[in-house]
Amino acid sequence: MKKPIKIYGPPGTGKTFRLIRRVNAYVRTGTPYHKIGYFAFTKKAAIEARKRIGVDEKEVPYFQTLHAFCFHLLDLSEDSIMQPHHYEDLGKMLNVRVSFNDKYNDEQTHFLTCNNPYFQMIGRAINKDISIEEEFNLNEHDRRDIDPDILRHIYINLQEYKDKNHLLDFNDLIKLVIKSNKIPKLKAIFIDEAQDLSPLQWQLYDRLKENCEDMYLAGDDDQAIFAWAGADVNRFITEPANEKVLRYSRRVSKAVQEQSQIAVDRIAGIRKHKEYLPRAQEGLACHINNLGQVDLTKGKWLILTRTRSNLLDIMKELKNKNIYYQSNKGKSFNVGIYNGAMAYQKWIREGEIEEKEINDVREYIPSGNWDPEKNWYDIFVADQKEILYIRNIIFGGEKLSENARVWVSTIHAAKGGEEDNVILSLHQGSKVQKSIRLSVDKQDEEHRVWYVGTTRARNNLYKLKAKKKIKEYQL
């Protein structure tokens, strides 16, 4: 095979656009779609790539995530795959609390964000293709969080649980394909967001490379923020290839780019030096002390946090300010109450409503005493704070049937997103600060996280100061 081509794509430089254009070039010169592999990091990104090609999903069988690729090669059913509820079930059996934060995440990455340190460590070890003892001995964790005997006990029970229930996890799929003879011969393979591949996925990459003529790697080491789950950014940087850096961003303003460089200039480990040009727009970057210093009643906003606890605090504050927002878990109000209210108002106006609308109202008027002389908020039996919140955001002119103008997310969950106005909460938290003191690699990953956070802004970046300066990332 020829030497791979590696494309570095800083934020907004059109990396995916370049890849799709190259795919189309292969097709124009006679390569059928089924001889092209296009592997994205998330299910959402894979679907977007198929849409850009503009052909039916059946025509591009290898436009998917690497895990979906392996899943289909092995001809498995969904019932064969470990899901978050399986891990939670095992946790209950072992009297270990475990839950997953990303069950509502549209991105659907293969890095499940489990909140249990034991399952986190086991997941990292599997992604890196090393033993749990080797992962433990790296000392990149708080010793008080992990007992090696309990770790081993959970790991053994996890394997037994999978065997007993005939289940496979995401990484089992990759291992089975690596050892199989099922990998198809392809003309060209494109791997997007390659900086986030784990060592185990790099092994699959090596096998794919043996079965194709042309290989394209695309990514940005400055946006590698999944090392916590085992991603190997150094392999991406050092992988031999003909390199190209995309140099013109259609996203970030001058002010945003200048801010983003503060974070990546602090990276101490290996890094691909890249210079790219921002948009001509000057933009704005400034500090704010609180959310009251910006007008969230106008325009579109993305509010980003480093930690889930800070995310919850900001969501609570937005609700207290009667701001309608959305997060990965959905809209900020009780949709059931809203649907009932809209159905009730329709009944008052028109005198009749459909069966489903009747049921929507009945839930909140259990007495059955509908009164056309009374407003829904005076007669509904429900949380009065929630009713008041819905009333206030409707009165403020928000259209609750549409998506919110304000989106709230952690930086990790918003990696592929962007918005004109971004509020970046600089609250880092003591737990994060403690973890990054464990190694230079963790410190480098942290700087990359903040780089990703700043570059979600197209025009204006508002840096929200932490309540305690000691818990703040200095940006």
Side-chain angles (χ1 to χ4, degrees), residues 263 266 304-311 313-314 410-412 424-451 463-475:
R266 293 172 180 163
L304 298 176
T305 67
R306 176 64 180 86
T307 65
R308 283 185 57 79
S309 60
N310 189 214
L311 178 72
D313 289 340
I314 285 180
T410 61
I411 297 171
H412 282 87
L424 181 62
S425 172
L426 299 180
H427 177 85
Q428 198 172 29
S430 54
K431 188 173 182 180
V432 171
Q433 290 179 332
K434 189 175 183 179
S435 70
I436 62 177
R437 288 196 287 267
L438 296 171
S439 71
V440 172
D441 285 345
K442 283 190 172 292
Q443 292 166 19
D444 285 350
E445 184 190 7
E446 186 67 10
H447 297 318
R448 290 181 173 115
V449 169
W450 292 97
Y451 177 80
K463 298 174 289 183
L464 177 61
K465 293 182 179 179
K467 292 180 179 178
K468 292 183 179 179
K469 193 173 182 65
I470 195 171
K471 292 186 177 181
E472 182 177 287
Y473 182 80
Q474 299 305 303
L475 188 63

Side-chain angles (χ1 to χ4, degrees), residues 189-396:
I189 290 178
F190 300 80
I191 299 181
D192 201 1
E193 304 293 356
Q195 78 278 351
D196 293 324
L197 296 181
S198 69
L200 188 59
Q201 289 172 315
W202 280 109
Q203 290 181 37
L204 177 58
Y205 160 82
D206 291 332
R207 290 279 284 114
L208 289 169
K209 196 165 58 171
E210 295 170 2
N211 286 269
C212 78
E213 295 181 31
D214 302 327
M215 175 68 78
Y216 295 81
L217 289 171
D220 181 7
D221 55 303
D222 291 337
Q223 298 184 70
I225 61 173
F226 289 99
W228 58 268
D232 185 1
V233 63
N234 289 345
R235 170 73 190 264
F236 173 67
I237 298 171
T238 59
E239 181 68 12
N242 294 317
E243 297 182 349
K244 178 177 179 59
V245 177
L246 304 182
R247 301 195 180 278
Y248 300 95
S249 177
R250 295 171 180 81
R251 179 193 302 170
V252 301
S253 63
K254 294 177 182 178
V256 170
Q257 189 203 29
E258 288 174 4
Q259 289 297 306
S260 70
Q261 287 303 123
I262 295 173
V264 290
D265 285 347
R266 293 172 180 163
I267 294 175
I270 63 172
R271 173 181 176 252
K272 172 68 176 178
H273 179 73
K274 298 175 288 296
E275 292 184 2
Y276 71 99
L277 297 174
R279 288 163 49 227
Q281 184 162 341
E282 194 64 38
L284 170 71
C286 66
H287 284 96
I288 57 174
N289 295 311
N290 56 69
L291 294 179
Q293 289 184 256
V294 294
D295 186 1
L296 293 173
T297 65
K298 299 174 184 176
K300 290 190 174 183
W301 298 82
L302 175 60
I303 304 177
L304 298 176
T305 67
R306 176 64 180 86
T307 65
R308 283 185 57 79
S309 60
N310 189 214
L311 178 72
L312 295 174
D313 289 340
I314 285 180
M315 289 165 68
K316 184 178 179 180
E317 183 177 352
L318 290 172
K319 202 156 188 176
N320 289 336
K321 291 179 178 293
N322 293 313
I323 300 294
Y324 166 38
Y325 66 88
Q326 277 182 255
S327 69
N328 279 338
K329 288 194 175 183
K331 296 183 176 182
S332 58
F333 58 87
N334 185 309
V335 176
I337 295 177
Y338 172 73
N339 288 340
M342 295 301 100
Y344 188 77
Q345 287 183 326
K346 180 181 175 183
W347 173 73
I348 292 175
R349 289 193 313 270
E350 303 177 11
E352 60 180 7
I353 53 178
E354 297 176 3
E355 183 68 26
K356 181 184 181 303
E357 294 170 318
I358 292 173
N359 292 331
D360 288 340
V361 177
R362 276 179 178 164
E363 185 174 348
Y364 300 102
I365 310 180
S367 66
N369 298 322
W370 298 30
D371 187 345
E373 300 299 319
K374 291 185 178 180
N375 290 310
W376 66 271
Y377 45 79
D378 291 325
I379 199 171
F380 271 27
V381 178
D383 185 319
Q384 291 303 302
K385 284 187 177 180
E386 189 66 18
I387 287 176
L388 181 60
Y389 173 64
I390 293 173
R391 283 185 63 191
N392 286 337
I393 55 180
I394 291 175
F395 181 76

